[in-house]
Amino acid sequence: MSARPEGSPASTVAAPAETAGMPARRARLVVGGVMTGMMLSALDQTVVSTALPRIVSDLGGLSRLSWVVTGYLLTSMVVTPLWGKLSDMYGRRPVYLAAIGVFLAGSLLCAVAQDITQLVVFRAVQGLGGGGLFALAMTVIGDVVPPAERGRYQGWFGAVFGLASVGGPVLGGWLAHGPGWRWIFWINLPVGLCSLLVVARLLHVTTVRRPQRLDLAGAALITAGVTAALLYLNWAADDYGWGSPAGLGLLAAAVAAGALFVLAERRAADPVIPLRLFSNRVFRVAGIFGFLAGAAMFAGIVFLPVHLQVVSGFSATRAGLAMLPAMLGIVAGTTVAGRLISSRGRYKAYPVAGSLLLVAATALLARLRPDTPYLWTALLALVFGVGVGLTTQPVLTAVQNSVEPRDMGAAMGTANFFQRMGAAIGTAVLGAVFAARLEHHLGSGTAAAQVDSQSVEAVSGLAEPLRSEVVAAFSRALDDVFLACVPCAVVAFAVSLLLKDTPARDRAPSQ
């Protein structure tokens, strides 16, 4: 055996549960513990959105309000591959405990924030831990669940993720108008502590130590590149312009950081994202598909509630409840796909079918009108939810069953990174499309002069006939947003056809 290089930590690669001897009941408790952490991570992506007006009324800082959401999304995304790599190096248990510790510390700080700047910074801290909770939850499944059973557990995780993502705005609105917006963060503490205690007590698996060094240069470059790209997408449309010197500078920085990242990973002894993963066809296809599906998925999650509130005239709470069909669809899609993958051992059919449903749902959502019956909207939301459920989790199961145990953390972290990157970029691009098309449909008349397009309450309080004119403009702008998602979903369908359908039950992890 070769000696470990001085100053480099030893890698700890978890052996599968079959070899570790973990009883089934204990494995289920461990999965429940990390699933709780993942739920908190997913919930905090969207739970703040409906509470933003109350937060501003307490803390001020309207100009920095969007960063309460963006700060969390940005940090949680860029650290996802790093958490996965750290878990390959140091083991799942200590790294998961570190991630949930950072998340809980960020939640506590958010709950006591005294101004908007503090809240933005503390949300970024919270995101640093949240990214680890999301990635490591999927990785732990690969450690404690046999390959043939992973699909079923992935279905449960997908259902929890869907409920948290879609239900977050409902919970946030209720807390903001009830106990107060600070309870959005206080509530994380007891739930997160339960997850921490379960994992600390029960997650003990056999590990194999290998010498590795942490790739700090790669981690810094991927963080810089993703940050510059998201800043360009979020700022260029509203503040600077797509072709402004500042905007082009951010874009150039993103491209340069990406190129340097690839060079750094080629030379690194232990890269944060091992480039050998991209020689794996399943991983490569799953990454591209996850990016595209993530972009299409968040179109419905973000913009369908806008349609319900502005065009259909629902209150924020009622709009959240009206998204229940989407939640049920996500739960049904992930649960059914997970059980069928576990029983039949194949997974390709589900992302293929799910992406087709996303194509149909987004195309039909683009035809909603102010007088469309809610029953039809609910049916489309259900179809959309089933499509999301069939696309998100099966590809992660495919990745789990196609990589070596030594790369499990890095592979799952990177696969999650692609999905979250697609969601973040898709939301930013579609937000720019919505703003541009709304300005176009409002025109330069009375509606454009009198309407604050950033305020749902302002639209609902308009007198007729101005209100009908503005609602029609919103409806047409949202049509354009959903239409913009159709090509993305079509390409996701084409990519899903390239996925290699390796039977999960026949692939035991390498020792």
Side-chain angles (χ1 to χ4, degrees), residues 121-303:
V121 172
F122 298 153
R123 280 282 285 172
V125 172
Q126 191 187 33
L128 291 174
L133 297 182
F134 196 93
L136 294 174
M138 304 298 180
T139 306
V140 168
I141 289 183
D143 295 334
V144 304
V145 177
E149 294 294 318
R150 290 174 187 166
R152 179 180 303 171
Y153 284 86
Q154 290 283 16
W156 295 352
F157 272 75
V160 169
F161 171 77
L163 286 172
S165 297
V166 181
V170 182
L171 178 62
W174 180 78
L175 289 173
H177 291 83
W181 63 266
R182 294 182 187 274
W183 279 95
I184 291 173
F185 306 108
W186 286 123
I187 202 171
N188 288 338
L189 300 182
V191 179
L193 284 173
C194 289
S195 175
L196 185 149
L197 292 174
V198 168
V199 173
R201 184 175 180 83
L202 299 179
L203 183 57
H204 300 283
V205 293
T206 304
T207 59
V208 180
R209 303 182 68 84
R210 297 188 180 98
Q212 290 192 352
R213 286 190 176 93
L214 182 60
D215 179 20
L216 295 176
L221 286 169
I222 194 172
T223 301
V226 171
T227 301
L230 290 181
L231 289 177
Y232 173 72
L233 292 170
N234 279 281
W235 287 354
D238 296 329
D239 298 336
Y240 297 110
W242 299 107
S244 67
L248 292 177
L250 287 170
L251 184 59
V255 173
L260 290 173
F261 172 76
V262 173
L263 292 175
E265 298 304 271
R266 286 176 181 265
R267 298 177 180 180
D270 297 300
V272 65
I273 299 180
L275 296 184
R276 63 177 174 268
L277 290 174
F278 293 94
S279 64
N280 181 321
R281 179 182 174 182
V282 172
F283 177 85
R284 190 168 61 246
V285 172
I288 298 171
F289 179 85
F291 180 90
L292 295 167
M297 173 181 71
F298 266 73
I301 292 176
V302 172
F303 291 99

Side-chain angles (χ1 to χ4, degrees), residues 218-406:
L221 286 169
I222 194 172
T223 301
V226 171
T227 301
L230 290 181
L231 289 177
Y232 173 72
L233 292 170
N234 279 281
W235 287 354
D238 296 329
D239 298 336
Y240 297 110
W242 299 107
S244 67
L248 292 177
L250 287 170
L251 184 59
V255 173
L260 290 173
F261 172 76
V262 173
L263 292 175
E265 298 304 271
R266 286 176 181 265
R267 298 177 180 180
D270 297 300
V272 65
I273 299 180
L275 296 184
R276 63 177 174 268
L277 290 174
F278 293 94
S279 64
N280 181 321
R281 179 182 174 182
V282 172
F283 177 85
R284 190 168 61 246
V285 172
I288 298 171
F289 179 85
F291 180 90
L292 295 167
M297 173 181 71
F298 266 73
I301 292 176
V302 172
F303 291 99
L304 185 53
V306 175
H307 174 91
L308 291 169
Q309 290 187 64
V310 179
V311 180
S312 299
F314 290 7
S315 66
T317 302
R318 189 181 172 197
L321 294 175
M323 289 293 290
L324 282 175
M327 296 187 202
L328 294 175
I330 293 172
V331 172
T334 54
T335 304
V336 171
R339 290 187 175 276
L340 290 177
I341 290 172
S342 292
S343 62
R344 299 180 181 178
R346 295 185 179 274
Y347 40 73
K348 179 177 179 177
Y350 309 107
V352 171
S355 53
L356 273 179
L357 290 177
L358 287 179
V359 171
T362 51
L364 291 172
L365 285 170
R367 300 182 62 84
L368 294 178
R369 297 293 178 265
D371 59 350
T372 299
Y374 170 68
L375 184 61
W376 176 244
T377 305
L379 178 61
L380 294 183
L382 178 65
V383 173
F384 176 84
V386 173
V388 170
L390 293 177
T391 56
T392 52
Q393 300 309 118
V395 291
L396 296 177
T397 303
V399 170
Q400 278 183 334
N401 288 283
S402 69
V403 300
E404 300 296 332
R406 62 174 177 159

